[in-house]
């Protein structure tokens, strides 16, 4: 048995891409408003639920036709929009007023912790009470079977379209975000406000608007990732967010919580590791002993390990590592 | 209408929450450690009574009666599950197997109940192991982030709690039952139960009564203890550190030490609360029941509502949230039934249960946010304490430096 | 009529009263040096004029109109520029991006012209346009900060210790550049300096602050010549 198969690689890549987008969003709001958003995973689940409802109410009825493929455009966009607006509302209606009243970081953090549970329970209620058109029971519904399978001749594998699209979209988004942040006046102003809000204000930059936009962006990225993840979750139960948030924090802490590129890299590493490491261990173990150990259900442990290692070894994360020095040293040694 | 045993059980349960909130207040309120991993520490106490003490008990019993484990191999119903396993195998892996656990625990209970010394030994083991596990976990978990900013500490605590309780303990079957539940020991002497049974009103189980007494004793002890810490020089240093960013930079190392100390103390108290919960309220222990919603989120709401860094305040908060939650659970279902049938949803018992839980959780969340917005100091605000002059603070810190190294 | 006057100013931060009864005035195209020991309130005075510190009483007028209570960004738009002691450029942004941010509120075409203007005035920056401000030397960074200030064509420029932490030669060069702002562009300058001698040499007027009170106010040359005061407070012989 090979240590890794091509499906698992693509699987890992998709999971890494989704987590990269989620870590990017979490890091973005942390950099601007300094709040670790404990509700971030649940906002992603909002995206998954929107996709599920869209499937159940509209798209399943269109199966077989060419229109069905628009699912992969309509669902992510709608999910991103709704999740983005939700995150924006959270910031404008709750976090900003609290912060203006002088509530500190811990208070704001607890507020997001409470919001996480509030939104999660509302989602649970929605999934329980919404009558389903096709799926039958929405809570815990697996929508994988409704995804489009694509055959790739060179690799000779069938792959879910969502898995193929996720890395591609993540790359496109990363490039556009990079261009936005470096080429547009408002993007540069966002970076300026993140580094030095006082100076930015003095120069006439509307820092409040920058913060609001960062929350909208963060929510949209989460909604988009959630929309694709809907096809990956074993079943859409909002409580998945309670574990998923740990992976998001792991990727963000690995990224250093201080740089968008760090967040993308951190998310990618954690997401890929969570999928591939258990499989690799399992396959190696099988090759050596000839028996199977079932460790995939402990895959989330990798996130905890990464958090521990990063905080003990390099609490600044990837963003804190001086890559130039490191490279210089490696080159000198080599 | 509501029977006495139920009221007593609710009382015990409320006391458990009071103990948890006092522990949380010590860590979060006084020391500024935003513990979002309370569920883990409560669970580890529950584990001490269930998965762990059963192993200790079977070893003890086997020492007194060397054939005990040997006999399990041949007597039904054990023999089907145990088979040819070695003694170590049985102690480590089989006692949590539901096929064994369901029979073994009642049998151990009756053996322990017959012997007062045995019962005392088991009880001591339970308390000692809960304290030791709580303190050790508190130390290990906070060690990674104790030198970092509070938000990192919160993330790490949450991560550990979710991973250990909901992934490790909930999935690894042999340690603590995993996907199945395990039963806890009731380590009370038979004689005590019998004589109490004659005194108590009918329907009130002696175990419940004893559990309640333990809960009362532990709650009072915790209150006195945390009040003393709060009013001690250490409490004043804790608050000074919590409020003073400057202290964070100039005393980083000492803060880390004191934080670790507080984490160990607070976590052991939470673990003891877990013990009391199992002994008096819920003798069937399953990791997935120890959710962050019940054991982290609700205690936080209680603390914030009552008044952070005020022990009496958080007790009031605990009572209000606990009773409010119960009232909703009792009074709301008829209303839910009406509303649900009005919007045309088929009403089943399961739906009502979900709507009930969801409503409580949403309300508790809303309370947290409203209190933060309207009255962040809570119902009973923190007692103003004179800020320490820097010189006094320095000398106090010197003292801790001396004592802890 | 003076360009800027301060009369009987009492200011500080919340309950910390720092400045007591400060008065000063500055005419167009003058250079005023504010000197004094560390912690005497020099920065606070600039912040009070800018509107960042709290003014308890007193009056600040600019071109004859009362601006005491106006918010900082309005004062900035009126032509009052304040260059803080630290964090006065965005270190993670390139030089060009910094200049662009300085021109944030201006129309695109005006912004382009103004950036072009300061680049011809400080050609050194042109060769660094793509570099992160973080990679500039201390002196280059201060020049970038000056350039960012100039983009908005202020009338008065208030500088808080621009030469702090600079090597002596570079500090001297920077002070020359500051003096040139008056000569070339006709700016009025208020200069807070640790290096009292160098500052007084390029200034017309001087204000000596000690513990939040005025100890001397008058010609810079006279303060420089006053052996008593300059030995006691400025560490000069
Ligand atoms: N934000 C602040 N809040 C309270 N006091 C401050 C603040 N900033 C400075 N101070 C105090 O004001 C006094 C004057 O400081 P400053 O104006 O910076 O002096 P200088 O610039 O002359 O060195 C000092 O005692 C300083 O501690
Ligand atoms: Mg100063």
């Amino acid at each position: 048995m090979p240590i890794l198969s091509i499906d698992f690689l693509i699987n890992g890549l998709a999971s890494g891409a989704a987590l990269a987008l989620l870590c990017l969003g979490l890091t973005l709001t942390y950099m601007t408003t300094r709040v670790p958003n404990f509700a971030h995973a649940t906002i992603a689940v909002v995206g998954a639920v929107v996709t599920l409802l869209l499937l159940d109410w509209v798209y399943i009825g269109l199966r077989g036709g060419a229109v069905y493929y628009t699912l992969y455009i309509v669902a992510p966009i709608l999910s991103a929009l709704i999740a983005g607006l939700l995150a924006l509302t959270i910031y404008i209606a709750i976090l900003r007023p609290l912060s203006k009243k002088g509530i500190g970081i811990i208070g704001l953090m607890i507020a997001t912790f409470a919001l996480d549970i509030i939104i999660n329970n509302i989602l649970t209620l929605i999934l329980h009470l919404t009558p389903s058109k096709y799926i039958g029971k929405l809570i815990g519904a697996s929508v994988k079977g409704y995804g489009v399978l694509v055959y790739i001749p060179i690799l000779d594998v069938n792959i879910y379209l969502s898995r193929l699209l996720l890395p591609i979209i993540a790359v496109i988004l990363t490039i556009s975000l990079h261009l936005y942040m470096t080429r547009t006046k408002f993007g540069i102003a966002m970076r300026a406000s993140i580094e030095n809000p006082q100076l930015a204000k003095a120069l006439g930059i509307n820092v409040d608007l920058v913060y609001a936009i960062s929350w909208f962006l963060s929510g949209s990225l989460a909604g988009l990732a959630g929309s694709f993840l809907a096809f990956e979750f074993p079943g859409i139960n909002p409580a998945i967010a309670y574990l998923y948030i740990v992976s998001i924090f792991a990727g963000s802490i690995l990224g250093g919580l201080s740089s968008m590129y760090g967040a993308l890299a951190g998310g990618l590493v954690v997401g890929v590791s969570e999928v591939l490491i258990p499989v690799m261990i399992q396959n190696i173990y099988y090759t050596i002993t000839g028996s199977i150990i079932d460790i995939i259900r402990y895959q989330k442990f990798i996130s905890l390990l990464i958090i521990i290692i990063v905080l003990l070894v390099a609490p600044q994360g990837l963003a804190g590592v001086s890559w130039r020095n490191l490279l210089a040293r490696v080159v000198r040694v080599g | 209408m509501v029977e006495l045993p139920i009221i007593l059980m609710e009382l015990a349960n409320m006391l458990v929450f009071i103990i948890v909130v006092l522990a949380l207040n010590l860590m979060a309120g006084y020391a500024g450690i935003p513990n979002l991993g309370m569920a883990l520490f409560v669970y580890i106490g529950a584990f001490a009574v269930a998965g762990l003490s059963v192993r200790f008990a079977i070893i003890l019993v086997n020492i007194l009666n060397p054939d005990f484990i040997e006999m399990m191999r041949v007597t039904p119903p054990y023999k089907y599950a145990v088979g040819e396993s070695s003694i170590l195998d049985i102690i480590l892996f089989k006692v949590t197997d539901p096929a064994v656990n369901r029979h073994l625990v009642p049998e151990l209970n009756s053996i322990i109940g017959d012997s007062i010394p045995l019962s005392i030994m088991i009880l001591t083991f339970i308390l000692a192991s809960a304290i030791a596990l709580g303190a050790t976990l508190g130390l290990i978990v906070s060690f990674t982030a104790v030198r970092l900013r509070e938000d990192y500490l919160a993330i790490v605590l949450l991560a550990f709690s979710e991973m250990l309780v909901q992934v490790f303990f909930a999935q690894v079957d042999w340690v603590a039952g995993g996907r199945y539940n395990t039963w806890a020991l009731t380590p009370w002497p038979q004689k005590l139960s019998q004589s109490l049974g004659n005194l108590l009103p009918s329907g009130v189980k002696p175990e419940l009564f004893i559990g309640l007494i333990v809960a009362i004793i532990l709650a009072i002890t915790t209150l006195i203890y945390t009040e003393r810490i709060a009013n001690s020089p250490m409490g004043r240093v804790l608050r000074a550190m919590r409020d003073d960013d400057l202290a964070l930079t100039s005393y980083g190392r000492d803060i880390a030490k004191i934080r670790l100390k507080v984490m160990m103390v607070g976590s052991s108290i939470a673990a003891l609360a877990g013990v009391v919960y199992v002994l008096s309220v819920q003798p069937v222990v399953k990791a997935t029941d120890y959710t962050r919603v019940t054991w982290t989120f609700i205690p936080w709401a209680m603390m914030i509502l009552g008044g952070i860094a005020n022990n009496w305040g958080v007790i009031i908060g605990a009572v209000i949230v606990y009773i409010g939650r119960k009232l909703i659970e009792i009074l709301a279902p008829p209303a839910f039934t009406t509303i649900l049938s009005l919007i045309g949803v088929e009403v089943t018992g399961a739906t009502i249960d979900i709507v009930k839980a969801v409503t409580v959780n949403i309300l508790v969340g809303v309370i947290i946010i409203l209190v933060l917005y309207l009255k962040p100091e809570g119902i009973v605000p923190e007692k103003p304490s004179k800020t320490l002059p820097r010189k006094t603070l320095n000398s106090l810190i010197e003292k801790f430096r001396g004592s802890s190294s | 009529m003076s360009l800027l006057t301060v009369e009987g100013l009492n200011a500080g931060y919340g309950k910390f009263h720092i400045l007591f009864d400060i008065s000063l005035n500055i005419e167009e195209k003058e250079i005023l040096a504010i000197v004094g020991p560390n912690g005497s309130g020099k920065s606070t005075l600039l912040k009070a004029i800018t509107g960042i510190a709290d003014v308890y009483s007193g009056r600040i007028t600019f071109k004859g109109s009362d601006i005491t209570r106006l918010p900082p960004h309005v004062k900035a738009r009126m032509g009052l520029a304040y260059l803080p002691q630290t964090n006065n450029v965005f270190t993670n942004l390139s030089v060009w991006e910094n200049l662009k941010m300085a021109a944030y509120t201006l129309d695109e075409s005006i912004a382009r012209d103004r950036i072009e203007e300061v680049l011809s005035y400080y050609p050194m920056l042109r060769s660094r346009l793509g570099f992160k401000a973080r990679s500039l030397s201390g002196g280059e960074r201060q020049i970038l900060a000056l350039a960012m200030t100039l983009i908005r064509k202020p009338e008065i420029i208030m500088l808080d210790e621009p030469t702090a932490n600079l090597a002596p030669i570079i500090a001297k060069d920077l002070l020359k550049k500051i003096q040139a702002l008056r000569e070339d562009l006709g700016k009025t300058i208020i200069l807070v300096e640790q290096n009292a001698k160098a500052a007084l040499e390029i200034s017309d007027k001087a204000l000596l602050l000690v513990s939040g009170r005025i100890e001397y106010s008058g010609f810079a040359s006279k303060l420089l010549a006053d052996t008593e005061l300059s030995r006691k407070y400025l560490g000069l012989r």
Side-chain angles (χ1 to χ4, degrees):
Chain A
M1 190 192 309
I3 287 177
L4 274 178
S5 62
I6 189 79
D7 319 21
F8 269 113
L9 269 175
I10 293 180
N11 226 343
L13 214 56
S15 142
L19 205 56
L21 295 180
L22 288 163
C23 295
L24 175 62
L26 185 99
T27 303
L28 189 60
T29 48
Y30 187 81
M31 278 160 59
T32 52
T33 49
R34 301 262 119 209
V35 190
N37 180 12
F38 281 86
H40 200 59
T42 296
I43 294 176
V45 175
V46 170
V49 168
V50 170
T51 300
L52 170 65
L53 293 180
L54 196 65
L55 253 177
D56 184 61
W57 290 345
V58 184
Y59 272 88
I60 292 180
L62 304 173
R63 271 226 285 187
V67 204
Y68 192 70
Y69 292 93
T70 60
L71 171 68
Y72 290 90
I73 302 166
V74 176
I77 291 180
L78 195 65
S79 302
L81 208 63
I82 291 175
L85 288 175
L86 176 66
L88 182 66
T89 313
I90 288 178
Y91 174 64
I92 290 185
I94 294 165
L95 298 178
R96 193 163 71 183
L98 283 177
S99 161
K100 289 234 160 93
K101 286 209 92 180
I103 301 293
I105 289 286
I106 296 193
L108 296 178
M109 197 171 78
I110 296 304
T112 66
F113 187 71
L115 280 164
D116 182 42
I117 288 170
I118 294 174
I119 301 168
N120 212 285
N121 276 277
I122 292 176
L123 289 177
T124 307
L125 196 63
I126 290 176
L127 290 186
H128 270 288
L129 298 188
T130 310
S132 161
K133 205 164 160 192
Y134 295 100
I135 292 180
K137 193 158 162 272
L138 291 178
I139 185 93
S142 166
V143 303
K144 200 174 227 158
Y146 300 101
V148 174
L149 266 176
V150 185
Y151 177 70
I152 302 181
I154 351 167
L155 303 173
D156 187 31
V157 280
N158 281 306
I159 304 263
Y160 279 107
L161 185 54
S162 56
R163 266 180 206 174
L164 274 183
L165 284 177
L166 201 40
I168 297 172
I169 287 178
V171 169
I172 293 175
L173 275 176
T174 304
I175 294 172
S176 3
L177 205 67
H178 174 81
L179 291 177
Y180 176 70
M181 287 293 189
T182 51
R183 299 291 153 84
T184 70
K185 190 165 137 184
F186 195 78
I188 299 171
M190 282 189 83
R191 282 161 55 218
S193 312
I194 286 170
E195 183 190 327
N196 189 339
Q198 267 87 24
L199 182 57
K201 268 184 210 159
L203 296 176
I205 295 170
N206 188 342
V207 175
D208 266 352
L209 182 67
V210 168
Y211 290 176
I213 288 191
S214 75
W215 275 85
F216 178 77
L217 265 179
S218 165
S220 319
L221 289 171
L224 184 103
S227 173
F228 282 103
L229 281 173
F231 296 94
E232 301 288 328
F233 291 141
I236 300 182
N237 183 340
I240 17 180
Y242 293 155
L243 280 184
Y244 211 78
I245 189 71
V246 178
S247 305
I248 302 178
F249 275 126
S252 307
I253 285 179
L254 176 59
L257 274 170
S258 59
S259 130
M260 294 192 282
Y261 305 105
L264 285 164
L268 189 67
V269 169
V270 173
V272 170
S273 316
E274 274 184 1
V275 173
L276 297 192
I277 290 182
V279 175
M280 279 161 65
I281 294 177
Q282 219 166 32
N283 290 354
I284 292 171
Y285 188 85
Y286 181 81
T287 320
I288 296 171
T289 66
S291 58
I292 291 172
I293 41 165
D294 173 20
I295 52 168
I296 291 182
R297 51 194 167 118
Y298 310 123
Q299 58 171 215
K300 288 280 164 199
F301 239 72
I302 289 169
S303 293
L304 180 64
L305 283 179
I306 289 177
I307 293 181
I308 297 172
I309 294 170
V310 172
L311 292 186
L312 287 179
V313 175
Q316 310 283 312
L318 295 174
V321 178
S322 168
W323 294 107
R324 202 163 299 163
N325 288 354
L326 205 66
L327 200 70
R329 216 178 306 162
V330 171
V331 169
R332 222 174 302 136
V333 170
Chain B
M1 186 185 83
V2 186
E3 297 118 23
L4 186 63
I6 293 184
I7 292 179
L8 291 184
M9 170 135 26
E10 293 296 348
L11 192 61
N13 201 2
M14 189 166 83
L15 285 165
V16 171
F17 274 98
I18 288 178
I19 301 165
V20 173
V21 172
L22 285 171
L24 175 62
N25 192 37
L26 178 65
M27 297 184 268
Y30 291 112
I33 303 168
N35 194 336
L36 292 186
M38 288 304 282
L40 169 63
F41 303 110
V42 177
Y43 172 74
I44 213 66
F47 168 64
V49 197
L52 194 62
S53 66
V54 173
R55 291 180 169 106
F56 179 72
I58 196 176
I59 293 172
L60 262 190
V61 168
N62 200 54
I63 291 172
L64 297 175
N65 169 11
D67 285 341
F68 187 80
I69 296 181
E70 212 51 57
M71 289 299 289
M72 284 174 73
R73 293 220 181 89
V74 291
T75 10
Y78 298 120
K79 69 173 188 188
Y80 312 114
V82 170
E84 293 301 300
S85 314
S86 69
I87 292 192
L88 194 67
D89 247 5
I90 293 175
I91 295 173
L92 274 183
F93 300 106
K94 295 295 179 193
V95 292
T96 47
D97 183 335
V100 175
N101 194 265
R102 305 289 179 271
H103 305 285
L104 180 63
V105 170
E107 192 172 344
L108 287 175
N109 277 343
S110 75
I111 299 176
I112 297 165
D114 285 341
S115 147
I116 292 180
L118 202 55
S119 150
I120 290 175
M121 278 166 86
I122 302 277
L123 253 179
T124 315
F125 175 82
I126 289 173
L127 295 179
S129 63
I131 291 174
L133 280 177
T136 315
L137 263 184
L139 185 71
I140 294 175
V141 170
S142 45
F143 185 77
T144 28
V146 75
R147 281 162 196 82
L148 305 174
R149 274 180 37 177
E150 290 91 345
D151 42 4
Y152 275 82
L153 204 47
I155 293 169
V156 168
L157 282 158
L158 181 87
F160 262 100
S161 173
E162 292 295 321
M163 290 300 138
L164 289 184
V165 181
Q166 302 302 332
V167 178
F168 180 74
F169 284 112
Q171 307 251 17
V172 184
D173 294 334
W174 66 271
V175 181
R179 288 167 291 180
Y180 318 99
N181 50 36
T182 49
W183 290 4
L185 293 177
T186 37
W188 317 120
Q190 204 71 52
K191 289 206 180 102
L192 182 63
S193 312
Q194 268 161 12
S195 43
L196 270 176
N198 300 331
L199 294 174
L200 291 170
S202 66
V204 179
K205 279 203 207 129
E207 294 80 38
L208 171 60
F209 185 77
I210 304 172
L212 184 61
I213 300 289
V214 174
I216 292 172
I217 293 172
L218 187 63
I220 293 175
T221 318
T222 309
L223 175 62
I224 294 172
Y225 184 67
T226 46
E227 270 291 283
R228 267 178 67 182
I229 292 188
N231 296 321
S232 71
M234 176 161 152
R236 302 179 77 184
V237 172
L238 287 181
R239 270 170 286 174
M241 285 173 175
R242 183 195 63 191
D243 297 338
D244 187 354
D245 283 343
L246 203 80
L248 258 180
T249 50
S250 42
Y251 301 112
R253 228 190 64 222
D254 309 283
I255 286 194
K257 264 189 201 161
I258 295 184
R259 273 183 174 173
L260 287 177
K261 235 186 217 173
V262 173
M263 272 303 297
M264 289 170 71
V265 173
S267 309
S268 345
I269 298 176
L272 286 176
V275 170
V276 175
Y277 177 68
V278 173
L279 287 181
S280 57
V281 182
Q282 180 52 279
V284 178
V285 178
K286 189 160 194 274
T288 45
D289 292 343
Y290 291 75
T291 61
R292 70 151 90 155
V293 172
T294 309
W295 294 108
T296 302
F297 171 65
I298 288 184
W300 267 91
M302 292 167 165
M303 177 177 74
I304 288 177
L305 175 67
I308 293 179
N310 184 315
N311 284 330
W312 290 103
V314 301
I315 291 178
I316 293 174
V319 172
I320 294 176
V321 172
Y322 191 86
I323 294 179
R325 186 177 161 210
K326 275 291 150 232
L327 284 182
I328 293 176
E329 284 176 3
I330 296 167
L331 301 178
F336 290 145
T337 315
T338 326
I339 296 172
L340 287 180
S341 44
L342 269 181
I343 58 173
V345 174
E346 188 196 350
V347 185
T348 64
T351 329
I352 291 288
D353 279 348
I354 285 152
V355 174
K356 209 160 68 178
V358 162
T359 312
V360 169
N361 293 342
I362 292 175
L363 280 178
V364 172
V366 170
I367 285 179
I368 291 185
I369 288 166
L370 278 183
V371 174
L372 282 176
Y373 188 74
L374 299 174
K375 206 169 183 314
E377 68 281 5
I379 296 176
V380 191
E382 179 174 3
K383 281 172 262 174
S385 66
K386 272 178 256 140
T387 45
L388 294 170
R390 179 139 314 264
K391 253 169 79 187
T392 325
L393 188 64
N394 282 351
S395 69
L396 280 174
I397 287 177
E398 285 306 324
K399 223 178 76 195
F400 284 114
R401 207 176 265 176
S403 72
S404 55
S405 58
Chain C
M1 191 183 62
S2 299
L3 185 60
L4 180 85
T5 64
V6 173
E7 296 158 37
L9 181 78
N10 282 284
Y13 307 94
K15 37 183 193 185
F16 299 103
H17 193 160
I18 310 282
L19 295 174
F20 302 88
D21 202 24
I22 306 290
S23 296
L24 63 86
N25 67 71
I26 183 165
E27 311 293 330
E28 233 170 276
K29 300 186 191 178
E30 264 185 343
I31 301 183
L32 167 71
I34 300 176
V35 292
N38 241 331
S40 56
K42 305 181 297 290
S43 298
T44 309
L45 177 53
L46 293 194
K47 287 182 195 162
I49 296 174
T50 319
I52 302 172
D54 303 322
V55 174
Y56 310 135
S57 67
R59 219 168 96 92
I60 305 168
T61 62
F62 179 61
K63 291 183 180 166
S65 52
D66 189 335
I67 60 161
T68 318
R69 310 273 160 201
L70 294 182
H73 67 270
V74 176
K75 288 180 182 171
R77 215 170 302 142
M78 292 172 74
L80 227 74
Y82 162 63
L83 211 65
Q85 193 168 341
T86 51
N87 299 327
N88 50 21
V89 300
F90 300 107
T91 53
N92 291 330
L93 266 53
S94 69
V95 168
W96 184 82
E97 287 171 334
N98 267 287
L99 294 172
K100 199 156 167 64
M101 288 301 104
Y104 190 78
T105 52
L106 306 176
D107 281 341
E108 199 61 41
S109 63
I110 300 178
R112 211 172 310 128
D113 292 349
R114 297 270 180 94
I115 293 177
E116 193 45 47
E117 248 173 75
V118 296
L119 284 178
S120 351
Y121 191 65
Y122 293 127
M124 177 279 296
L125 290 177
R126 202 186 289 278
S127 60
R128 303 277 195 283
L129 277 181
F131 290 81
K132 290 258 149 75
R134 190 184 327 122
S135 68
L136 298 182
S137 71
E140 290 169 336
R141 232 185 258 196
Q142 292 297 348
I143 290 173
L144 173 59
L146 267 184
M148 287 169 71
T149 310
L150 288 178
I151 281 183
R152 330 183 97 217
K153 292 213 182 285
E155 289 185 53
I156 301 186
I157 303 176
M158 298 186 276
L159 302 140
D160 196 349
E161 301 201 22
T163 67
N165 305 323
L166 293 187
I169 314 172
I170 306 203
K172 210 168 151 195
D173 184 56
L174 185 65
L175 282 178
K176 274 217 188 88
K177 289 207 162 68
I178 291 169
Q179 197 179 11
L181 291 178
R182 188 244 314 255
E183 259 77 86
D184 303 344
L185 307 173
K187 302 289 181 203
T188 308
I189 291 161
I190 302 181
L191 179 62
V192 166
E193 260 303 329
Q194 268 293 302
N195 184 353
K197 186 162 179 285
L200 290 174
E201 277 168 355
I202 65 160
S203 303
D204 308 304
K205 292 205 281 200
L207 197 73
L208 172 60
L209 269 186
V210 179
S211 313
R213 292 170 207 275
I214 294 183
E215 198 69 24
Y216 172 90
S217 173
F219 289 114
S221 51
K222 247 176 101 182
L223 178 56
L224 210 47
D226 188 323
T227 43
E228 163 99 44
L229 281 179
S230 51
R231 180 169 345 123
K232 200 160 156 202
Y233 298 117
L234 304 175
L236 303 173
R237 272 175 296 118

